[in-house]
Amino acid sequence: MHVLCKINRNILEAIVVEMQDSKSGVKGSDQKLNVTTIPHVINGKDIITWITNKMKTTPEEAEAFGTMLVAYGYIYPLQNHKKLVMCNDTSLYRFQTPYFWPTQKWVAEDTDYAIYLAKRNIRKKGMLEPYEQVHYNHLHEWLNHKWDFIVMQSTEQYKAGKERKKPDRVVFDCQERAYWIVNRPPVSVCDSNIFYQQAIMRSKVKSSVSLGALAKYATTYKNHDPFLAPCLPSNPWQTDNDTYWTLNMRLVDVPTKMRVERWSFSFFELLNDLRGRDDFKVFLKKEFSGENLAFWEAAEELKWGTASSITSKAETVFKTFLAPGAPRWINIDGRTMGLTVKGLDHPHRYVLEAAQTHVFLLMKKDTFFRYLKSPVYKDMQKKALNPEPHNFSPAQLENNAKNRSLGIHPITLWQQEEELKAKAAAASAPVDIKAMMSKIDRKRKTHQ
């Protein structure tokens, strides 16, 4: 595996070197960044065009490959430096110096990062970005025993940097910042550091409280744990009878009581069971408030769909849920709406994350509990099946094994689900009266 990684990195670096070739590579130019002229700047569109022509691939695949080069730190953005993606537009990028390439086997140690932040703190006169300030405070506390050494090193590096020419100094600052953006991402690592820092500072929980929560969880899920409770009506792996699977299929009209009960445990359990989600949709339809769940599902499709479909799906989501006057407009706070709409200018898999979380919490805190009290859920509880346990004799078990059915192939189930989705989408789509009348007129003319 290490050999494979090494080969892949060698291939990547060979491509990056070729991209920088003065004759056949990506053409760069001098660009002004604020008041300083930066040499050898390239734009995302030129990079993606070069990759498309060189690798004989599609622009979508070239964009994904370019994003990988940015994520690994071979190319870095000059403007939106925290967004490690390659955009197929005029966004500005530079090639990272080989000193910061992954094959140099730099270990991104806390001490080095602390020196970098301390140096940046001096240069910015204490005005670090919020995520940098969080890191800085954490490292100051964590490395307090050698903070004098860190300050000394950062001061010396700052003085040495001031002796460089301003364009060289700006370029090096960008290269160094790009390296730490890759190795200390401002979102995931910062959030995890905050989480762990808060966890450490949180007051100790009494063991009785902790054990009480654990006991409550175990009691709630006890009858739903296949290791602790039997499968009703029987375990198909032991009896060769597939009734249990048939009763718990995605497309069943009437689910089992155990399944319906599990929906009430949490909103996540309800959404995670597609049959439960269908029942929740029935409730939302009665309340004329299905847009939140529809948006949540659209965000899931964008997150887990193919790379080539991201742009088209993002455009559909914007027109359907976020644009002024959208047919299924969702009600979220202005700040989240603004960030989401701005992010859709350059869509990626997680561009709807903030809005999706906001909508999820709204449904969890309000709609979910109203659903559990509604006639829709109570009627489903009454109709739910409660299968009686099978009591097979040894002879019957042997006969079951001989007459084992093949069951339904997963691909067939998937096709059935896709057909249902298409029908549901067609049913919920607005009717185009002009198109329908035109179709009727064509049919009339054909019959005449």
Side-chain angles (χ1 to χ4, degrees), residues 157-175:
Q157 289 186 20
Y158 174 72
K159 289 179 180 177
K162 289 191 71 173
E163 295 177 3
R164 297 190 183 100
K165 293 180 179 178
K166 188 173 182 181
D168 294 338
R169 186 167 70 246
V170 172
V171 167
F172 181 75
D173 290 344
C174 290
Q175 290 170 340

Side-chain angles (χ1 to χ4, degrees), residues 31-216:
Q31 294 282 345
K32 262 197 172 183
L33 187 67
N34 297 329
V35 294
T36 307
T37 301
I38 307 296
H40 310 302
V41 176
I42 48 182
N43 67 55
K45 193 172 183 179
D46 290 342
I47 298 172
I48 290 169
T49 301
W50 188 91
I51 295 172
T52 302
N53 296 334
K54 182 68 180 178
M55 297 186 170
K56 310 297 182 188
T57 186
T58 63
E60 291 79 14
E61 292 294 334
E63 190 172 348
F65 183 77
T67 295
M68 182 174 66
L69 293 177
V70 175
Y72 278 123
Y74 293 104
I75 298 173
Y76 62 89
L78 277 175
Q79 293 158 314
N80 193 355
H81 61 275
K82 289 185 285 186
K83 193 174 182 181
L84 297 179
V85 295
M86 177 68 68
C87 298
N88 192 6
D89 53 24
T90 56
S91 299
L92 302 181
Y93 298 85
R94 285 192 90 253
F95 291 107
Q96 179 64 284
T97 177
Y99 176 75
F100 289 116
W101 283 3
T103 45
Q104 297 300 318
K105 295 182 179 178
W106 255 62
V107 179
E109 294 182 350
D110 287 340
T111 301
D112 292 326
Y113 189 43
I115 293 172
Y116 164 74
L117 288 178
K119 178 176 62 175
R120 188 166 170 78
N121 192 48
I122 296 171
R123 187 168 65 251
K124 293 289 184 180
K125 298 180 180 178
M127 300 297 291
L128 294 173
E129 293 192 41
Y131 79 93
E132 291 177 326
Q133 191 65 55
V134 171
H135 281 298
Y136 182 85
N137 294 340
H138 172 70
L139 290 171
H140 192 181
E141 183 178 351
W142 180 254
L143 302 174
N144 189 54
H145 59 286
K146 55 178 178 180
W147 198 252
D148 290 342
F149 166 78
I150 289 169
V151 171
M152 181 184 69
Q153 289 291 320
S154 61
T155 304
E156 290 299 320
Q157 289 186 20
Y158 174 72
K159 289 179 180 177
K162 289 191 71 173
E163 295 177 3
R164 297 190 183 100
K165 293 180 179 178
K166 188 173 182 181
D168 294 338
R169 186 167 70 246
V170 172
V171 167
F172 181 75
D173 290 344
C174 290
Q175 290 170 340
E176 194 175 26
R177 181 178 61 186
Y179 171 81
W180 287 113
I181 285 286
V182 171
N183 289 277
R184 291 288 192 276
V187 177
S188 58
V189 173
C190 180
D191 287 349
S192 63
N193 278 349
I194 294 172
F195 172 78
Y196 289 121
Q197 187 176 6
Q198 289 175 343
I200 292 170
M201 295 173 65
R202 192 179 296 128
S203 58
K204 299 294 187 294
V205 179
K206 290 183 179 180
S207 58
S208 58
V209 176
S210 179
L211 291 172
L214 182 61
K216 183 180 178 182

Side-chain angles (χ1 to χ4, degrees), residues 410-428:
I411 293 179
T412 305
L413 288 174
W414 176 79
Q415 288 173 340
Q416 292 174 350
E417 289 176 11
E418 291 301 307
E419 289 174 6
L420 283 176
K421 284 182 183 177
K423 289 178 182 178
S428 62

Side-chain angles (χ1 to χ4, degrees), residues 233-249:
S234 63
N235 188 332
W237 295 104
Q238 295 175 340
T239 64
D240 282 294
N241 184 286
D242 62 0
T243 306
Y244 174 80
W245 286 327
T246 305
L247 293 176
N248 288 281
M249 286 173 58

Side-chain angles (χ1 to χ4, degrees), residues 8 19 24 36 52 89 124 137 183 189 206 222 224-225 251 259 263 280 300 328 340 342 347 368 375 391 398 448:
N8 288 341
M19 290 173 74
S24 60
T36 307
T52 302
D89 53 24
K124 293 289 184 180
N137 294 340
N183 289 277
V189 173
K206 290 183 179 180
K222 180 181 66 174
H224 298 262
D225 190 325
L251 301 173
R259 190 171 178 182
W263 300 345
F280 187 51
E300 287 291 289
R328 306 195 74 183
T340 304
K342 185 178 180 181
F368 174 58
N391 294 310
E398 186 177 350
Q448 289 174 357

Side-chain angles (χ1 to χ4, degrees), residues 396-414:
Q396 287 174 318
L397 290 175
E398 186 177 350
N399 187 55
N400 289 347
K402 290 178 181 178
N403 299 308
R404 182 184 300 134
S405 61
L406 295 176
I408 300 177
H409 197 279
I411 293 179
T412 305
L413 288 174
W414 176 79

